[in-house]
Amino acid sequence: MKEEIIIAGFGGQGVLSMGKILAYSAIMQDMEVTWMPSYGPEMRGGTANVCVIISDRKIGSPIVTKYDTAIVLNQQSLDKFENAVKPGGLLIYDPSGITREPVRKDIQICRIDAISHAAELGNAKVYNMVVLGAFLKMHPVVEQKNVRKGLEKSIPARYSDLIDLNEKAIAEGMKHVVSVNQI
Amino acid sequence: MAEKVLMKGNEAIAISAIRNGVDGYFGYPITPQSEVMETLMKEKPWETTGMVVLQAESEVSSINMVYGGASCGKKVMTSSSSPGISLMCEGISYMAGAELPCVVVDVMRGGPGLGTIQPSQGDYNQIVKGGGHGDYHNIVIAPASAQDMYDFVDWGFELAFKYRNPVVVLADGVIGQMMEKVEIHPPKPRMTDEEIRTKAPWATVGKPASRERNIITSLSLDSDTQEAFNRKLHAKYSEIQEKEVKFTEYMTEDAEYLFTAFGCSSRICEAAVDMLRAEGIKAGLLRPVTLFPFPYKEISRLASQVKSIMSIELNFGQMVEDVRLGAENKCPVGFYGRQGGNIYTPEEVAEEFRKFNNIK
């Protein structure tokens, strides 16, 4: 099993930490991971992305150009990564971040209205966990109990009271993710 | 069981320094390695192990603080990225001349000049062939994972003290910025004053009546004395070449074609080897782990076995010169490189391999 995922959006949407929590959850499941961020000038201009690879074998190249899953949270990221999804792969997007719908017919496309679900939970910061829930519903690459452990490892001890809220946000994402096409 | 933690290569350097009893870190921030000092500042090791962490006013200061600490037999280190390392090269030359142990981490970015903050392997010649002035060598070790970053701090100090020589951990932006699983081992304490006196009898730690003064210097104005010292250094480098070569091989046993690559490039080549093997092409990979000393003998051995060798580097042809020396004209040696932070994919490497070897 090997899953290559690109997560992309604006700085501040929690793209990097979503990738980190996913990667940590996979470590808790005794899998191999790489987490490779963009750290260049484009990041300083506002967009951020991270490539997470999860595998049950040692990972050779941490650099890939085709992904099993693209999670895109703004228009620039959709433009950049829609065509980088492998045929039969998965694209997840947040409709509030984009101005045009994805057009690929050979991949599974899902939407998650994460902003409003995060707002319902009373904390906009768990936005990224709603999105992570949507992904884990579609591709359950890590078990829920290991996601909990991943959260415990990733969230600094002083915020440990937020672990339950993050877990709840993941559950909301799982509940509300919508598949918009059939392949 | 060792604890498994998700961390960046840069963070692994910092955590490893604290857990392996390093006495001092002196540095100046620069992308893509700033997390080393950030992590140290966050961990506050001065409150636990007593390790000193200090942001100097420049790279020139940091390396000279390292010189001072090393003179006292302390395990001291610094880290930087390419332009900062250039500033340190004078100090590194002085340390090689004064035979002082230290670990310097270079998380390479693109150059020349200020270049780019993206990953590169353009400092191979600078670090492996010298860097500063004078006839000296750094011991150079090249990590390819966050685990290597963690492990190479301790290994680096072991080599540095064994040979009284600067050790450079030659990493790149990919290895520094990427997070991976790292196994953390039980902590080692810092050396006691007694241990320093035993392990580093040359250190300037206060002269007891029982011995002569210890002098730390790289200055020698008498021709014969200087030449004798150069001979001594040369003998040391020969011993290092004899004893410390380290490399890894991937699928070389029955290989008909060989890739050579270090650091992050070796991982991309590993994936390219898998791709070519799936097509029935018997490719293999030799990854030099030590760049000085370089695995010339192993390349010579494999050059007798394979039809060709291709060196894959994030520069426009540096390590390939050493690969050619090793191959001794026994087979053709090719090269492919990228620059500016553009990183080849395994597919691209496989494609360039087919072009070089005329395989359709």
Side-chain angles (χ1 to χ4, degrees):
Chain A
M1 175 272 169
K2 189 176 186 189
E3 173 98 11
E4 295 165 334
I5 307 147
I6 183 84
I7 309 170
F10 286 121
Q13 281 180 314
V15 161
L16 299 183
S17 58
M18 189 198 321
K20 186 177 172 184
I21 288 164
L22 176 61
Y24 236 134
S25 309
I27 287 182
M28 294 297 119
Q29 201 160 307
D30 238 348
M31 296 165 92
E32 299 295 325
V33 298
T34 60
W35 175 100
M36 182 71 208
S38 63
Y39 66 91
E42 78 273 18
M43 184 174 150
R44 282 149 213 222
T47 69
N49 70 62
V50 61
C51 171
V52 177
I53 306 179
I54 300 173
S55 173
D56 48 18
R57 290 184 45 203
K58 189 180 156 216
I59 298 165
S61 174
I63 314 276
V64 292
T65 48
K66 295 283 175 198
Y67 306 94
D68 299 298
T69 298
I71 300 171
V72 293
L73 304 178
N74 64 13
Q75 187 59 45
Q76 292 97 312
S77 305
L78 176 63
D79 293 342
K80 192 167 174 187
F81 294 113
E82 183 174 2
N83 286 325
V85 180
K86 295 176 193 170
L90 170 67
L91 184 131
I92 296 176
Y93 73 100
D94 178 345
S96 61
I98 60 160
T99 52
R100 71 152 180 90
E101 301 286 317
V103 294
R104 290 269 299 269
K105 301 278 180 235
D106 61 335
I107 58 174
Q108 167 132 49
I109 294 173
C110 293
R111 55 189 278 176
I112 176 70
D113 192 1
I115 287 191
S116 50
H117 297 303
E120 281 162 22
L121 288 165
N123 188 336
K125 283 186 183 164
V126 296
Y127 169 82
N128 60 346
M129 292 298 99
V130 177
V131 178
L132 180 61
F135 167 70
L136 289 172
K137 171 76 181 180
M138 301 311 298
H139 282 192
V141 287
V142 274
E143 291 171 37
Q144 215 136 354
K145 62 169 200 253
N146 291 321
V147 175
R148 170 89 195 184
K149 287 187 199 164
L151 281 170
E152 286 166 357
K153 286 276 186 184
S154 313
I155 293 176
R158 61 185 186 279
Y159 297 127
S160 59
D161 54 320
L162 293 178
I163 290 175
D164 288 341
L165 179 65
N166 277 280
E167 216 177 12
K168 216 165 144 190
I170 292 172
E172 282 297 293
M174 288 181 152
K175 198 156 79 186
H176 294 291
V177 62
V178 181
S179 189
V180 298
N181 70 340
Q182 292 276 330
I183 50 166
Chain B
M1 203 181 76
E3 192 191 342
K4 290 173 188 162
V5 183
L6 178 72
M7 58 170 88
K8 287 188 173 192
N10 289 336
E11 292 165 343
I13 292 279
I15 299 295
S16 179
I18 299 168
R19 294 182 72 95
N20 282 302
V22 171
D23 296 301
Y25 171 95
F26 310 94
Y28 187 80
I30 182 172
T31 308
Q33 64 78 53
S34 295
E35 293 86 357
V36 178
M37 193 159 41
E38 281 172 21
T39 307
L40 286 167
M41 291 294 182
K42 206 169 63 189
E43 294 289 323
K44 298 190 172 77
W46 52 90
E47 289 175 2
T48 51
T49 71
M51 176 185 178
V52 173
V53 182
L54 193 128
Q55 176 174 338
E57 68 269 44
S58 76
E59 288 85 349
V60 176
S61 304
S62 344
I63 194 68
N64 284 295
M65 288 173 180
V66 170
Y67 186 115
S71 304
C72 305
K74 299 286 186 184
K75 283 165 77 172
V76 283
M77 65 183 290
T78 185
S79 65
S80 189
S81 180
S82 310
I85 294 288
S86 289
L87 288 170
M88 290 182 182
C89 278
E90 181 200 42
I92 297 173
S93 163
Y94 276 60
M95 293 189 80
E99 293 201 90
L100 291 175
C102 70
V103 170
V104 176
V105 182
D106 180 2
V107 182
M108 288 182 278
R109 59 189 247 181
L114 268 183
T116 162
I117 58 174
Q118 300 292 336
S120 164
Q121 297 182 318
D123 300 356
Y124 179 93
N125 281 347
Q126 179 191 29
I127 297 303
V128 176
K129 306 298 176 182
H133 60 279
D135 194 356
Y136 79 95
H137 277 288
N138 300 310
I139 297 172
V140 186
I141 54 184
S145 63
Q147 184 71 53
D148 281 352
M149 292 287 251
Y150 186 89
D151 295 338
F152 283 16
V153 172
D154 194 34
W155 181 34
F157 275 109
E158 193 187 305
L159 290 169
F161 273 82
K162 183 170 172 188
Y163 293 103
R164 285 185 64 182
N165 204 75
V167 169
V168 179
V169 177
L170 192 61
D172 56 68
V174 175
I175 303 300
Q177 291 296 322
M178 180 173 56
M179 278 203 213
E180 285 187 294
K181 180 167 72 182
V182 175
E183 285 192 13
I184 304 284
H185 304 292
K188 279 187 196 172
R190 289 170 52 221
M191 284 194 286
T192 61
D193 288 351
E194 193 45 53
E195 282 168 322
I196 291 176
R197 274 191 286 273
T198 323
K199 209 173 168 188
W202 44 264
T204 48
V205 289
K207 177 190 157 327
S210 56
R211 65 160 167 82
E212 286 298 299
R213 286 188 303 165
N214 280 343
I215 299 173
I216 303 285
T217 182
S218 66
L219 176 70
S220 161
L221 294 174
D222 176 71
S223 300
D224 291 337
T225 315
Q226 178 65 38
E227 190 182 44
F229 176 68
N230 286 126
R231 280 189 204 287
K232 181 185 158 206
L233 278 188
H234 187 72
K236 174 166 88 178
Y237 302 143
S238 301
E239 186 188 346
I240 292 169
Q241 277 169 307
E242 197 57 48
K243 292 185 183 161
E244 305 296 345
V245 172
K246 206 170 159 190
F247 58 93
T248 63
E249 288 177 79
Y250 183 66
M251 304 280 216
T252 52
E253 207 158 288
D254 62 343
E256 292 174 2
Y257 300 93
L258 186 71
F259 286 112
T260 54
F262 72 99
C264 72
S265 295
S266 67
R267 298 178 57 148
I268 294 157
C269 287
E270 224 178 274
V273 166
D274 288 343
M275 244 169 229
L276 292 164
R277 288 260 168 184
E279 297 169 20
I281 299 168
K282 288 182 176 168
L285 165 71
L286 182 131
R287 168 197 162 207
V289 178
T290 54
L291 299 178
F292 180 85
F294 192 77
Y296 291 111
K297 279 184 204 158
E298 291 66 30
I299 289 181
S300 171
R301 168 174 59 79
L302 287 164
S304 313
Q305 170 191 323
V306 298
K307 292 177 190 163
S308 78
I309 302 178
M310 203 172 178
S311 194
I312 307 293
E313 304 165 44
L314 292 177
N315 57 53
F316 280 166
Q318 299 194 10
M319 185 178 81
V320 65
E321 292 176 9
D322 283 316
V323 174
R324 284 200 186 100
L325 281 176
E328 296 166 325
N329 284 328
K330 291 184 211 165
C331 71
V333 176
F335 175 82
Y336 182 65
R338 293 293 303 267
Q339 297 250 39
N342 290 319
I343 299 168
Y344 23 61
T345 59
E347 291 85 356
E348 188 179 343
V349 168
E351 182 54 32
E352 291 299 322
F353 165 89
R354 284 189 213 95
K355 264 192 231 165
F356 173 62
N357 288 295
N358 285 317
I359 300 173
K360 291 279 182 289

